[in-house]
mmCIF file of all heavy atoms in Angstrom:
data_model
loop_
_atom_site.group_PDB
_atom_site.id
_atom_site.type_symbol
_atom_site.label_atom_id
_atom_site.label_comp_id
_atom_site.label_asym_id
_atom_site.label_seq_id
_atom_site.Cartn_x
_atom_site.Cartn_y
_atom_site.Cartn_z
ATOM 1 N N CYS A 220 25.360 152.767 171.352
ATOM 2 C CA CYS A 220 25.288 152.913 172.811
ATOM 3 C C CYS A 220 23.867 152.703 173.310
ATOM 4 O O CYS A 220 23.635 152.038 174.325
ATOM 5 C CB CYS A 220 25.790 154.293 173.229
ATOM 6 S SG CYS A 220 27.577 154.503 173.136
ATOM 7 N N ARG A 221 22.895 153.269 172.598
ATOM 8 C CA ARG A 221 21.489 153.086 172.987
ATOM 9 C C ARG A 221 21.103 151.609 172.924
ATOM 10 O O ARG A 221 20.448 151.084 173.824
ATOM 11 C CB ARG A 221 20.581 153.891 172.054
ATOM 12 C CG ARG A 221 20.746 155.396 172.120
ATOM 13 C CD ARG A 221 20.300 155.963 173.442
ATOM 14 N NE ARG A 221 20.208 157.418 173.403
ATOM 15 C CZ ARG A 221 20.448 158.206 174.424
ATOM 16 N NH1 ARG A 221 20.822 157.674 175.585
ATOM 17 N NH2 ARG A 221 20.316 159.511 174.332
ATOM 18 N N ALA A 222 21.493 150.959 171.840
ATOM 19 C CA ALA A 222 21.123 149.555 171.652
ATOM 20 C C ALA A 222 21.759 148.650 172.705
ATOM 21 O O ALA A 222 21.168 147.646 173.119
ATOM 22 C CB ALA A 222 21.526 149.099 170.250
ATOM 23 N N GLU A 223 22.969 149.015 173.147
ATOM 24 C CA GLU A 223 23.707 148.188 174.105
ATOM 25 C C GLU A 223 23.413 148.572 175.557
ATOM 26 O O GLU A 223 23.903 147.919 176.483
ATOM 27 C CB GLU A 223 25.208 148.320 173.848
ATOM 28 C CG GLU A 223 25.668 147.781 172.504
ATOM 29 C CD GLU A 223 25.690 146.264 172.457
ATOM 30 O OE1 GLU A 223 25.733 145.639 173.540
ATOM 31 O OE2 GLU A 223 25.658 145.709 171.340
ATOM 32 N N GLY A 224 22.629 149.641 175.774
ATOM 33 C CA GLY A 224 22.397 150.122 177.144
ATOM 34 C C GLY A 224 23.662 150.635 177.785
ATOM 35 O O GLY A 224 23.849 150.520 179.007
ATOM 36 N N ALA A 225 24.538 151.219 176.984
ATOM 37 C CA ALA A 225 25.861 151.631 177.454
ATOM 38 C C ALA A 225 25.799 152.872 178.327
ATOM 39 O O ALA A 225 24.908 153.720 178.188
ATOM 40 C CB ALA A 225 26.767 151.897 176.256
ATOM 41 N N LEU A 226 26.782 152.998 179.214
ATOM 42 C CA LEU A 226 26.892 154.152 180.094
ATOM 43 C C LEU A 226 28.174 154.925 179.803
ATOM 44 O O LEU A 226 29.188 154.356 179.411
ATOM 45 C CB LEU A 226 26.905 153.707 181.558
ATOM 46 C CG LEU A 226 25.638 153.016 182.069
ATOM 47 C CD1 LEU A 226 25.837 152.547 183.505
ATOM 48 C CD2 LEU A 226 24.424 153.939 181.973
ATOM 49 N N THR A 227 28.094 156.234 180.003
ATOM 50 C CA THR A 227 29.247 157.123 179.880
ATOM 51 C C THR A 227 29.594 157.685 181.249
ATOM 52 O O THR A 227 28.688 157.988 182.037
ATOM 53 C CB THR A 227 28.935 158.282 178.918
ATOM 54 O OG1 THR A 227 28.729 157.763 177.614
ATOM 55 C CG2 THR A 227 30.079 159.289 178.877
ATOM 56 N N ILE A 228 30.869 157.829 181.540
ATOM 57 C CA ILE A 228 31.306 158.512 182.761
ATOM 58 C C ILE A 228 31.361 160.005 182.485
ATOM 59 O O ILE A 228 31.982 160.446 181.515
ATOM 60 C CB ILE A 228 32.685 158.002 183.209
ATOM 61 C CG1 ILE A 228 32.577 156.534 183.656
ATOM 62 C CG2 ILE A 228 33.241 158.868 184.344
ATOM 63 C CD1 ILE A 228 33.918 155.899 183.968
ATOM 64 N N ILE A 229 30.701 160.778 183.335
ATOM 65 C CA ILE A 229 30.650 162.230 183.209
ATOM 66 C C ILE A 229 31.308 162.859 184.434
ATOM 67 O O ILE A 229 30.896 162.574 185.567
ATOM 68 C CB ILE A 229 29.192 162.740 183.119
ATOM 69 C CG1 ILE A 229 28.432 162.009 181.999
ATOM 70 C CG2 ILE A 229 29.153 164.253 182.914
ATOM 71 C CD1 ILE A 229 28.896 162.320 180.620
ATOM 72 N N PRO A 230 32.307 163.707 184.279
ATOM 73 C CA PRO A 230 32.909 164.361 185.444
ATOM 74 C C PRO A 230 31.939 165.355 186.074
ATOM 75 O O PRO A 230 31.081 165.924 185.382
ATOM 76 C CB PRO A 230 34.131 165.076 184.857
ATOM 77 C CG PRO A 230 33.762 165.328 183.436
ATOM 78 C CD PRO A 230 32.926 164.159 183.007
ATOM 79 N N ALA A 231 32.080 165.574 187.353
ATOM 80 C CA ALA A 231 31.200 166.530 188.034
ATOM 81 C C ALA A 231 31.483 167.957 187.589
ATOM 82 O O ALA A 231 30.635 168.841 187.763
ATOM 83 C CB ALA A 231 31.366 166.405 189.545
ATOM 84 N N CYS A 232 32.657 168.207 187.012
ATOM 85 C CA CYS A 232 33.041 169.532 186.526
ATOM 86 C C CYS A 232 33.300 169.476 185.024
ATOM 87 O O CYS A 232 33.695 168.442 184.487
ATOM 88 C CB CYS A 232 34.303 170.020 187.243
ATOM 89 S SG CYS A 232 34.173 170.074 189.032
ATOM 90 N N HIS A 233 33.087 170.586 184.352
ATOM 91 C CA HIS A 233 33.317 170.676 182.917
ATOM 92 C C HIS A 233 34.817 170.788 182.661
ATOM 93 O O HIS A 233 35.475 171.722 183.133
ATOM 94 C CB HIS A 233 32.586 171.906 182.364
ATOM 95 C CG HIS A 233 32.597 172.002 180.877
ATOM 96 N ND1 HIS A 233 32.027 171.056 180.061
ATOM 97 C CD2 HIS A 233 33.117 172.951 180.045
ATOM 98 C CE1 HIS A 233 32.184 171.410 178.797
ATOM 99 N NE2 HIS A 233 32.847 172.550 178.767
ATOM 100 N N LEU A 234 35.380 169.837 181.897
ATOM 101 C CA LEU A 234 36.832 169.734 181.760
ATOM 102 C C LEU A 234 37.350 169.976 180.340
ATOM 103 O O LEU A 234 38.568 170.046 180.143
ATOM 104 C CB LEU A 234 37.293 168.341 182.208
ATOM 105 C CG LEU A 234 36.922 167.919 183.631
ATOM 106 C CD1 LEU A 234 37.417 166.502 183.900
ATOM 107 C CD2 LEU A 234 37.481 168.893 184.656
ATOM 108 N N VAL A 235 36.463 170.086 179.362
ATOM 109 C CA VAL A 235 36.877 170.254 177.968
ATOM 110 C C VAL A 235 36.063 171.366 177.328
ATOM 111 O O VAL A 235 34.833 171.368 177.424
ATOM 112 C CB VAL A 235 36.694 168.954 177.167
ATOM 113 C CG1 VAL A 235 37.074 169.181 175.702
ATOM 114 C CG2 VAL A 235 37.514 167.823 177.755
ATOM 115 N N GLN A 236 36.754 172.288 176.663
ATOM 116 C CA GLN A 236 36.051 173.364 175.970
ATOM 117 C C GLN A 236 36.038 173.108 174.469
ATOM 118 O O GLN A 236 37.067 172.817 173.861
ATOM 119 C CB GLN A 236 36.704 174.723 176.233
ATOM 120 C CG GLN A 236 35.952 175.876 175.556
ATOM 121 C CD GLN A 236 36.617 177.218 175.763
ATOM 122 O OE1 GLN A 236 37.718 177.296 176.312
ATOM 123 N NE2 GLN A 236 35.963 178.285 175.335
ATOM 124 N N ASN A 237 34.858 173.233 173.876
ATOM 125 C CA ASN A 237 34.722 173.162 172.424
ATOM 126 C C ASN A 237 34.942 174.566 171.876
ATOM 127 O O ASN A 237 34.162 175.477 172.151
ATOM 128 C CB ASN A 237 33.324 172.654 172.070
ATOM 129 C CG ASN A 237 33.119 172.484 170.579
ATOM 130 O OD1 ASN A 237 33.903 172.990 169.769
ATOM 131 N ND2 ASN A 237 32.066 171.780 170.197
#
Side-chain angles (χ1 to χ4, degrees):
C220 286
R221 295 293 191 213
E223 295 286 339
L226 296 176
T227 295
I228 293 174
I229 307 292
C232 303
H233 188 62
L234 303 178
V235 177
Q236 182 182 7
N237 183 345

